Amino acid sequence: MKNVIMMKHLKYFLLIIASIVSVSIPLSAQEKVLPIDSTEVIAVSSDAVAVNVTDAPMEANINIGDSLMEFLDGTGFAMIARNWKILVMLLISFLLLYLAIVKKFEPLLLLPIAFGMMLTNLPGAGLFTPDLFANGVVHWEQFSHAGLLDYLYLGVKLGVYPCLIFIGVGAMTDFGPLIANPKSLLLGAAAQIGIFATYIGAIALDFLPREAASIGIIGGADGPTAIFLTSKLAPELLGPIAVAAYSYMALVPVIQPPIMRALTTKKERAITMKQLRSVSKSEKIVFPIMVAVIVSLLLPAAAPLIGCLMLGNLMRESGVVERLSKTVQNELMNITTIFLGITVGATATADAFLNMKTLMILGMGIIAFGFGSAGGVLLAKFMNLFSKDKINPLIGSAGVSAVPMAARVSQVVGQEENPGNFLLMHAMGPNVAGVIGSAVAAGILLSMLG
Amino acid sequence: MILLEINWTNALNITLLGFGIVFVVLCLLILLLYIFGKVMTPKVRVPKAVRTPKGAKVEISDDTEFHKVQLPANASAAIAMALHLYYSDVHDQDSHVITIKKVERRYSPWSAKIYGINNLVR
């Protein structure tokens, strides 16, 4: 059986060789005649005079060796050999694909990001042209040479995708625990310290203020917000920041528990919280309208994010647009996620990604996450000094957005000390407050530095 | 040297102001949510007096049976479920009438039988 297959392969191989030889020999042996235009043909046919072929300009002989070398030189392999950075980028994209598929680290986003990264680094394919978006401006006049990913990237550049994703996030979020316990908003605010502490750190590392703000927003643990702000303030850093934000969001169960344990005592972790009050439907309907109006009036720059988040939530809570609610939660969210992931990955070209800045961004991203988690826990401890109804400080770490992963981490760590303690619903309050908090922080940074 | 060249005043201003504004905005929302909760939370009104079947009025004080009744959690859940079914017009009993409706299939080239017949397939 094996021999038969081998013979077949050998047959095809010999056929290919034979066809190459049969084509190349006549090409090299004879002169090629240029195409004759129609007037010449008419003249020739009417006068019945033979055209002297040798009078036509001659074309250089084609040399097999040169042609082959030219062909090989034009392949992606040769381009990779000339620029090792491309190979490194391809390897990074393979690593991210591995993490997404095998380790299941935020696969919904990491998979398209990694594939986008792979596509953009395939040399010569021309799927993404960073020059079209150079200096933070869209060069519309050059769009005739645009590739597929350039068109899709416009959604990121114009801030469309993050807002569409926020509609879906709003439609999937239950703000009930937050309405029942408004103090959770304080924990959500405290967790934003990660953003501002990292901003200072990035400034110290000689980043420009706009770049520092974009790096700091990683601490908000909110992918769409990070992409929204970075696309406005430092679009050249979009690739590393998006990869850092989503990678660390996937690593929340690894990053947060040691910080939570280090900052709390066993007794504090075992605190059982009072049952939350029930929230009426009318409260849930008025809440998104009220928040959208008040936050947008206070911070117009945050209006696109908060407005979309609350629109999605109103669709969910009103109960009158079930079809729209389902669509934004599923189809719209999924389509936008694909486009967002693939285009954000596409910005990670070798030149933009492989530099010291990326390493520093990755380093500061994890610090931002740590500070954010610690901020929430410490404020919860501080509130316990004055509060009659004790708060379990573990829910403070859920103040970084990362919905609902961070709330789940609070629940798991809490149950290690007291298996009968159910912190999930309590942690959902600061968790959704973190989404509002990071959108507000992004609006503030945008209005100050934009 | 780099640290000395940085305009720290601006950086600290943005940090303190930014973090402060986040707190102020969210504190404002907390305040509104408390007011909002007070106004919109459904309240159960306890009547001050009830009439007996004979028509006599009986005053209800805090130590009467009405206030002393403590419902167990499972009873509360059953009552809540019953109220939910009643107010949402959801029934746990169906009409026992089973009707098979004929579903009209619209013509479409995608589902047309003629396009589905392929003589080449054996």
Side-chain angles (χ1 to χ4, degrees), chain A residues 182-183 185-186 189-190 192-193 196 199-200 203-204 206 277 280 282-283 286-287 290 294 298 441 444 448-449, chain B residues 2-3 6 8 11-12 14-15 17-19 21-23 25-30 32-34 36-37 40-41:
Chain A
K183 273 189 289 185
L185 275 163
L186 281 178
Q192 308 313 316
I193 195 163
F196 294 98
Y199 170 78
I200 288 280
I203 290 278
D206 205 24
R277 74 169 173 90
S280 67
S282 42
E283 277 180 279
V286 178
F287 175 78
M290 184 186 80
I294 289 170
L298 281 171
I444 291 166
M448 283 178 170
L449 299 164
Chain B
I2 293 170
L3 292 178
I6 294 165
W8 285 108
L12 287 172
I14 288 174
T15 305
L17 205 62
F19 195 47
I21 294 173
V22 172
F23 254 94
V25 171
L26 295 188
C27 284
L28 188 67
L29 283 180
I30 292 173
L32 284 168
L33 281 177
Y34 270 120
F36 184 57
M40 301 195 77
T41 311

Side-chain angles (χ1 to χ4, degrees), chain A residues 101-117:
Chain A
I101 297 166
V102 181
K103 297 287 176 186
K104 296 189 172 53
F105 283 0
E106 290 274 340
L108 289 178
L109 255 151
L110 208 53
L111 191 140
I113 285 179
F115 207 83
M117 194 184 273

Side-chain angles (χ1 to χ4, degrees), chain A residues 83-128:
Chain A
N83 186 0
W84 60 271
K85 284 182 174 179
I86 297 173
L87 182 66
V88 175
M89 285 310 296
L90 286 174
L91 291 175
I92 292 174
S93 71
F94 297 152
L95 174 72
L96 293 179
L97 280 173
Y98 169 80
L99 291 177
I101 297 166
V102 181
K103 297 287 176 186
K104 296 189 172 53
F105 283 0
E106 290 274 340
L108 289 178
L109 255 151
L110 208 53
L111 191 140
I113 285 179
F115 207 83
M117 194 184 273
M118 192 190 80
L119 287 178
T120 201
N121 286 295
L122 290 176
L127 288 170
F128 182 67

